[in-house]
């Protein structure tokens, strides 16, 4: 296959992805005799768009999938999308309002769900087409959706089994409520942050004790309408005598008891007396349960005071707060107000202040499920990478609370429970029950849906056909790898482990690999407002998916914060161009139509040149490093090794070293050089394929060699292993010293402005073993460093006109006599120092100016700092060089 002059990524990436998918290369085969390797994709929102986190996740998973597929495994990488309950419902509601002016309540649940399914079908291809654009080798024949028929069946089955075992229950319980989204939230869906508020001191009259008051301190005075007790510490001598008596609740004229409670009350905080509102505070709710207190809900789902709030009914909580405080003040029952910083919970989606309210909800009794999940990680059956995330996992799991799984939405898995309209009996069933088994009354299905994370928790086994015992479950469960972000350890990872251990009696995955948060090149969090975000689809359009993928692979992805700038992607596109051009150069050495009959796995030759032995030895070493680092998921190590090998060793050195064989060598030398080129390119492209699949396929298809059993695609070829070139290690070491010498000589030439065409004399003081080996290979030194005369010396004392450089195993000396006019060089260096000094001083002046530091944008200041450091380094180098010459 002929190569174009330039690498046009867009056409090539689309072409090869279509061919791979059409050929069925992504499809797993449960009946194959190969060992399994399986991953289930963290399902993105069905109506979402690909963001950097998704792109990083699928890149890591695809690298491992392609590596394992080439390494002989039967790979199942299962794709799918999440129905994303509240996020999708909000989008559909907005669209409905914009197009018809109606709300979901105007059209009813059935019609609204029809609209939601239409929306899902219309937008489902968005995220999947973006996943394809990333080059993901997902098994699209097994694509799943969290609300498809099979997964809905699995959700019902799990719910019914847990309910029958008493592990799902429905109860009046205090929950987090979002007034904006009008739904319950789990504890994990609430974000807490410090806010400056107030502490109001309210005076409650003690009954039958004139002029005696209990003063309570509260950050939420509006909740006093629902108070059902005042608590004091039983050991507090100030109030112990009041325990058992009552106070009259101001404004409501309701008698409430004074109770003693050591768990709730901190004698040192506030006044030592605490108002108890069981329906609107989690700690108060627990206190109410301990003491059998009434639970009066005074705040409704819209964060307004309800009928239980008397004359304040209808006011929102902030309006009620203001009026209640004013009324208490007028009655002389407001003692004082203090400024007070405290934590306030917000909905993690819409950022509305969350209201703790008493509500009838469905819960999972979680501790019995958590215990085996904790044990699975403790025993090492599931490995976390990095391991420090195990501590975070344990901290949450050991202190886990029951999981509120009901949501007041319409889009989602409707809870499979029916309530009798006549007697109130509840029936939980896999199917639709006809009538109440108690009184034969009419049954109405519970209107709530399940938390999105409930169906996601079943993802590793429900997607493979559970509760049926499918061939996929038998072969691919437990899965091999789960790759995700650590911010969903609790939302998803822990719950998958719990559900897997419960319903499969086994772990859901063997390894969990956590990547960090991608930030910009300055370490700042990316955001639209800052304008520093990176859209992966824009980067693919501009640089290609392979450049983006390789950039991800080169990053230290397990760090908490991963710095990324567009320049990184641009640089890796340059690397791809380098690979492309190297292959084009190699192809130019072949005659038109020339094909080598050559198996790169079996090829051996005794006719290798010194350079051939070096590059083959290096290829062997890198092959071993890449295999080892990929097995351990050290992606930056493997990609970094390949980058260095291909660019710095193969392109920068070997191609230069082998050119004489092509330009002036014998036919035998040319034949060997071609085979070595094919060996290195074949192996290198295969090693690079998991990282940059499209360009490697394009280039591999162009290589002019053939052999029996050669596969039709690089992605189904065997991943390279070490080829046994260990016998070349000694030659390779000598070449390393040779290249080090050439580099040193070139550096000295550049520093002294010696023209590349000028031949120089070199003296070498080397260890005896290095010297004897190098004497046979002097032609490389002469050609590549433009050396005229080479002398080997011992105990050499250089004069002032000799430059030197230390290498491993010796020292290189270069005579500068007659090559450098030191007086002219001193003048040139002084002039250059003066020029750079001016730039440095200007930069230094800016950074010393408080006005500049206050007014300039952070990125401008950062750029000046970089320039300052750069000028400082240049000055140091020039001054050192000047000092050496003057000596």
């Amino acid at each position: 296959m002929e190569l174009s002059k330039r690498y046009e990524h867009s056409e090539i990436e689309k072409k090869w992805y279509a061919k791979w998918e059409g050929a069925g290369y992504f499809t797993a085969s449960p009946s194959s005799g190969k060992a399994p390797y399986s991953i289930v994709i963290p399902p993105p929102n069905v109506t979402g768009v690909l963001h950097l986190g998704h792109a990083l996740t699928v890149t890591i998973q695809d690298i491992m999938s392609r590596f394992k597929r080439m390494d002989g495994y039967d790979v199942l990488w299962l794709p799918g999308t999440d129905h994303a309950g509240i996020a999708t419902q909000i989008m559909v509601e907005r669209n409905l309002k914009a197009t018809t002016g109606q709300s979901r309540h105007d059209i009813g649940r059935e019609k609204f769900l029809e609209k939601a399914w239409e929306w899902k079908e219309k937008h489902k291809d968005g995220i999947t087409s973006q996943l394809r654009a990333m080059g993901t080798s997902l098994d699209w024949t097994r694509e799943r959706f969290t609300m498809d028929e099979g997964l809905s069946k699995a959700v019902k089955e799990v719910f019914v089994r847990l309910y029958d075992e008493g592990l799902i229950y429905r109860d009046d319980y205090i929950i987090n409520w979002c007034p904006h989204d009008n739904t319950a939230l789990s504890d994990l869906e609430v974000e807490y942050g410090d806010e400056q508020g107030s502490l109001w001191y309210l005076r409650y009259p003690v009954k039958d004790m004139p002029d005696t008051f209990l003063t309570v301190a509260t950050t939420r005075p509006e909740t006093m309408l629902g108070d059902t007790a005042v608590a004091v510490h039983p050991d507090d001598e100030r109030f112990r005598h009041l325990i058992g008596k009552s106070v009259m609740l101001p404004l409501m004229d309701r008698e409430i008891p004074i109770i003693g409670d050591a768990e709730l009350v901190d004698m040192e905080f506030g006044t030592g007396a605490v108002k108890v509102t069981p329906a609107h505070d989690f700690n108060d709710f627990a206190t109410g349960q301990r003491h059998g207190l009434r639970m009066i809900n005074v705040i409704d789902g819209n964060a307004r005071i309800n009928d239980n709030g008397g004359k304040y009914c209808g006011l929102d909580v902030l309006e009620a707060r203001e009026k209640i405080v004013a009324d208490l003040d007028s009655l002389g029952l407001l003692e004082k107000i203090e400024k007070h910083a405290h934590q306030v919970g917000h909905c993690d989606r819409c950022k509305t202040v969350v209201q703790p309210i008493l509500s009838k909800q469905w819960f999972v009794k979680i501790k019995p499920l958590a215990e085996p999940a904790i044990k699975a990680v403790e025993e090492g059956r599931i490995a976390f990478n990095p391991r420090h995330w195990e501590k975070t996992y344990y901290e949450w799991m050991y202190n886990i609370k029951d999981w509120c799984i009901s949501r007041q939405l319409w889009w989602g898995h409707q809870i499979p429970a029916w309530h009798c309209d006549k007697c109130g009996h509840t029936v939980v069933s896999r199917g639709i029950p006809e009538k109440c088994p108690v009184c034969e009354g009419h049954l109405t299905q519970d209107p709530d849906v399940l938390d999105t994370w409930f169906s996601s928790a079943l993802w590793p086994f429900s997607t493979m056909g559970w509760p049926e015992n499918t061939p996929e479950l038998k072969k691919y469960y437990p899965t091999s790898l789960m790759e995700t972000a650590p911010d969903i350890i609790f939302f998803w990872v822990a719950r998958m482990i719990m559900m897997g251990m419960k319903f499969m009696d086994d772990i859901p995955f063997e390894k969990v690999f956590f990547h960090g948060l991608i930030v910009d090149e300055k370490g700042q969090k990316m955001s639209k407002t800052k304008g520093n975000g990176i859209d992966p689809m824009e980067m693919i359009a501009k640089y290609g998916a392979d450049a983006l993928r390789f950039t991800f692979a080169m990053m230290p992805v397990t760090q908490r914060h991963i710095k990324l700038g567009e320049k990184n992607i641009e640089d890796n596109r340059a690397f791809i161009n380098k690979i492309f051009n190297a292959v084009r150069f190699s192809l130019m050495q072949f005659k038109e139509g020339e094909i080598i009959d050559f198996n790169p796995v079996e090829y051996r030759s005794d006719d290798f040149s010194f350079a051939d032995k070096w590059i083959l030895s290096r290829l062997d070493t890198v092959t071993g490093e890449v295999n080892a680092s990929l097995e351990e998921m050290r992606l930056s190590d493997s990609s970094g090794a390949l980058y260095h090998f291909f660019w710095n060793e193969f392109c920068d050195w070997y191609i230069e070293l082998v050119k004489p064989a092509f330009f002036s060598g014998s036919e035998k030398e040319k034949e060997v050089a071609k085979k070595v080129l094919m060996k290195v390119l074949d192996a290198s492209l295969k090693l690079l394929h998991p990282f940059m699949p499209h360009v490697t396929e394009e280039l591999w298809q162009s290589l002019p060699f053939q052999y029996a059993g050669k596969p039709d695609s690089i992605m189904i070829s065997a991943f390279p292993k070490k080829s046994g070139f260990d016998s070349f290690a000694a030659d390779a070491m000598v070449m390393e010293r040779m290249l080090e010498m050439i580099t040193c000589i070139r550096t000295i030439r550049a520093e002294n402005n010696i023209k590349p065409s000028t031949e120089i004399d070199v003296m070498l003081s080397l260890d005896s073993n290095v010297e004897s080996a190098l004497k046979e290979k002097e032609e490389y030194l002469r050609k590549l460093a433009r050396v005229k005369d080479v002398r080997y010396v011992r105990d050499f004392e250089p004069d002032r006109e000799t430059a030197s450089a230390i290498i491993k195993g010796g020292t290189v000396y270069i005579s500068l006599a007659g090559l450098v006019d030191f007086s002219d060089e001193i003048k040139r260096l002084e002039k250059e120092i003066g020029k750079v000094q001016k730039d440095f001083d200007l930069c230094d002046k800016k950074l010393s100016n408080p006005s500049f530091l206050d007014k300039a944008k952070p990125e401008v200041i950062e750029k000046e700092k970089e320039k300052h450091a750069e000028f400082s380094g240049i000055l140091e180098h020039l001054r050192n060089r000047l000092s050496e010459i003057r000596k």
Side-chain angles (χ1 to χ4, degrees), residues 494-521:
R495 288 167 176 168
M496 282 190 288
I497 297 173
M498 288 189 279
M499 291 300 186
M501 295 299 293
K502 175 66 178 175
F503 292 100
M504 294 296 295
D505 195 29
D506 202 353
I507 57 174
F509 27 72
E510 295 166 356
K511 296 178 183 177
V512 188
F513 186 89
F514 295 108
H515 66 253
L517 174 70
I518 299 176
V519 295
D520 71 12
E521 61 268 37

Side-chain angles (χ1 to χ4, degrees), residues 793-811:
V793 297
R794 288 279 184 274
D795 302 321
F796 183 74
E797 291 292 337
D799 58 26
R800 65 184 298 273
E801 294 185 339
T802 300
S804 63
I806 296 173
I807 64 166
K808 290 179 183 176
T811 307

Side-chain angles (χ1 to χ4, degrees), residues 173-175 202 204 216-231 249 254 256-257 259 264 274-289 293-299 305 308 355-358:
Y173 206 86
I174 190 163
I175 49 96
L202 315 181
Y204 288 9
V216 297
T218 180
T219 58
R220 300 164 64 214
E222 67 277 8
T223 62
M224 68 158 292
L225 303 175
D227 284 0
T228 56
V230 172
L249 183 64
R254 182 168 67 238
I256 60 176
I259 61 173
L264 178 68
V274 178
K275 60 187 283 302
V276 183
T277 320
H280 297 291
D281 182 275
F282 286 91
N283 292 324
D284 292 3
F285 176 79
T287 304
Q289 287 186 314
L293 300 175
R294 288 179 64 194
M295 301 199 181
I296 304 173
N297 209 338
V298 296
I299 300 173
I305 305 300
N308 292 328
Q355 293 293 332
I357 63 172
L358 191 67

Side-chain angles (χ1 to χ4, degrees), residues 420-567:
C420 179
D421 299 341
K422 187 176 180 182
C423 71
H425 179 71
T426 296
V427 178
V428 171
S429 172
R430 294 171 180 83
I432 302 174
E434 294 181 3
K435 57 186 177 181
C436 176
V438 176
C439 70
E440 300 190 348
H442 178 265
L443 294 169
T444 301
Q445 188 171 2
D446 193 301
D448 291 352
V449 301
L450 289 165
D451 179 8
T452 298
W453 294 105
F454 189 91
S455 54
S456 298
L458 319 181
W459 189 250
F461 56 89
S462 64
T463 52
M464 295 187 195
W466 187 91
E468 308 302 326
N469 190 19
T470 64
E472 284 81 4
L473 273 176
K474 289 177 183 177
K475 183 167 186 179
Y476 304 113
Y477 189 95
T479 62
S480 309
L481 172 69
M482 170 52 59
E483 200 290 334
T484 188
D487 57 350
I488 55 174
I489 287 180
F490 314 132
F491 283 112
W492 195 39
V493 175
R495 288 167 176 168
M496 282 190 288
I497 297 173
M498 288 189 279
M499 291 300 186
M501 295 299 293
K502 175 66 178 175
F503 292 100
M504 294 296 295
D505 195 29
D506 202 353
I507 57 174
F509 27 72
E510 295 166 356
K511 296 178 183 177
V512 188
F513 186 89
F514 295 108
H515 66 253
L517 174 70
I518 299 176
V519 295
D520 71 12
E521 61 268 37
K522 300 180 182 70
Q524 296 181 349
K525 189 174 181 180
M526 291 184 178
S527 69
K528 289 181 180 178
T529 53
K530 290 179 182 177
N532 64 345
I534 291 178
D535 180 346
M537 298 313 296
E538 288 181 8
M539 296 300 102
I540 289 172
K542 192 170 182 180
Y543 302 108
D546 287 345
L548 180 61
R549 289 167 60 109
F550 198 74
T551 302
F552 285 144
M554 290 281 280
M555 299 189 306
V557 293
T558 57
Q559 290 185 1
R560 288 180 184 266
H561 293 99
I562 311 162
K563 291 183 180 181
L564 174 65
E566 186 173 340
K567 182 68 166 56

Side-chain angles (χ1 to χ4, degrees), residues 28-45:
S29 177
S31 61
S32 78
K34 296 179 180 180
Y37 185 85
S38 57
I39 305 173
V40 290
I41 192 174
N45 292 358

